Amino acid sequence: MARRHSRPEDFQLVGMDSDPTPGDPDLIDLPDKLTKTVTSYHDAAQAYSDHLPRLREAAVPAERRPIRLDVLPGRVTYEEALALHTQGGPMCPLVAVGGDVLTSLGPDLTDVPTFVIAGPPRTGRSTALLVAAESLLAAGSGLIVLAPRRSPLRQLRGRPGVAALITDAEVTVDEFRQTLGSVPEEYGVIVVDDAELFTGAEIDSDLALLARGGAGTGWGVLAAGNAESLALSLAGWMGQVKRNRAGMLLSPQGLSDGEVIGVKLTRGVVGRAPQPGRGLLHLGDGTLRSVQVPLLEAEL
């Protein structure tokens, strides 16, 4: 834009022969070439202005930035959760998502060899166990699955990486040990659904050895079961699992449920209406985290 000038030759400075509106004191249009130049400059200035807050934020050290708080979703797919699982590995299963900044969460079985998922019926215990098993298979772990009742984990039969699927709660020690020896992978995990059925079983002592880490850091145990029943287990392999103080509670209904994962619950977090997949996670560090279990494609 240019204002009316008192001298005609001034218009030559902006590519015009003379003042096209000699009687109009207002602004006049520049030639198209100059208009495009001004518009491009304006767009560039606006883009820089929009980007400036991000540049300022990047210049601030992470510890000095405002705390970011993500909303815990009520529904998240396995694929979405797996994309957040950047610290996974053959002994680091994905079990849930949560945190101030939403991320995947799960145990490191080379640190604490067991992880238990407990809750009342129809709260997604088996689903959470299956999610963990799927993430371990994707990471190259070898699995032995114990599913004595009807369970979605039975669909893992015949999958690459699954050495055996045992449906008999009375499996003998010899059969179990033979199965342990058939796992070719460097890392192996025993996945136990309806874990309370194996309390006092013939393989109890072998499971206890694995739960103590007596078989080495290449073995781990994932278990799921009824929180009320597991809370009553004081000895055997489940007693050792409880002493390891790592696990997840789904819709806890009583204060004693906290004993399963080694935490003390308050009355404010128990007795609520069951919400499938919503849980409290404890990784043995004394911090109780609210989490959401991902949904597999078959459940969407």
Side-chain angles (χ1 to χ4, degrees), residues 120-198:
R122 299 186 181 280
T123 53
R125 298 180 322 226
S126 297
T127 294
L129 195 60
L130 181 57
V131 165
E134 289 282 5
S135 70
L136 288 174
L137 287 174
S141 297
L143 302 186
I144 295 175
V145 179
L146 280 63
R149 289 180 179 154
R150 187 176 63 178
S151 166
L153 276 89
R154 291 190 174 187
Q155 70 190 48
L156 296 177
R157 186 190 299 274
R159 287 274 298 276
V162 179
L165 193 149
I166 299 172
T167 59
D168 185 4
E170 301 300 324
V171 59
T172 66
V173 169
D174 290 340
E175 291 173 329
F176 185 63
R177 291 177 180 175
Q178 184 177 359
T179 302
L180 290 175
S182 69
V183 177
E185 289 80 7
E186 181 180 359
Y187 297 96
V189 178
I190 316 302
V191 182
V192 189
D193 203 6
D194 295 302
E196 63 271 15
L197 297 184
F198 291 94

Side-chain angles (χ1 to χ4, degrees), residues 17 51 97 181 267:
D17 294 335
H51 190 57
V97 298
R267 295 190 181 278

Side-chain angles (χ1 to χ4, degrees), residues 260-276:
V260 179
I261 62 172
V263 298
K264 290 186 177 181
L265 300 179
T266 62
R267 295 190 181 278
V269 299
V270 301
R272 300 177 181 178
Q275 183 178 353

Side-chain angles (χ1 to χ4, degrees), residues 214-282:
T217 56
W219 288 97
V221 178
L222 290 177
N226 185 282
E228 185 177 1
S229 299
L230 298 181
L232 298 176
S233 301
L234 301 177
W237 78 282
M238 187 48 62
Q240 180 62 51
V241 169
K242 291 167 61 178
R243 286 191 288 274
N244 288 348
R245 297 165 47 84
M248 178 170 62
L249 297 176
L250 298 175
S251 300
Q253 297 300 298
L255 295 177
S256 61
D257 291 359
E259 298 175 6
V260 179
I261 62 172
V263 298
K264 290 186 177 181
L265 300 179
T266 62
R267 295 190 181 278
V269 299
V270 301
R272 300 177 181 178
Q275 183 178 353
R278 185 55 60 94
L280 298 173
L281 181 78
H282 184 234

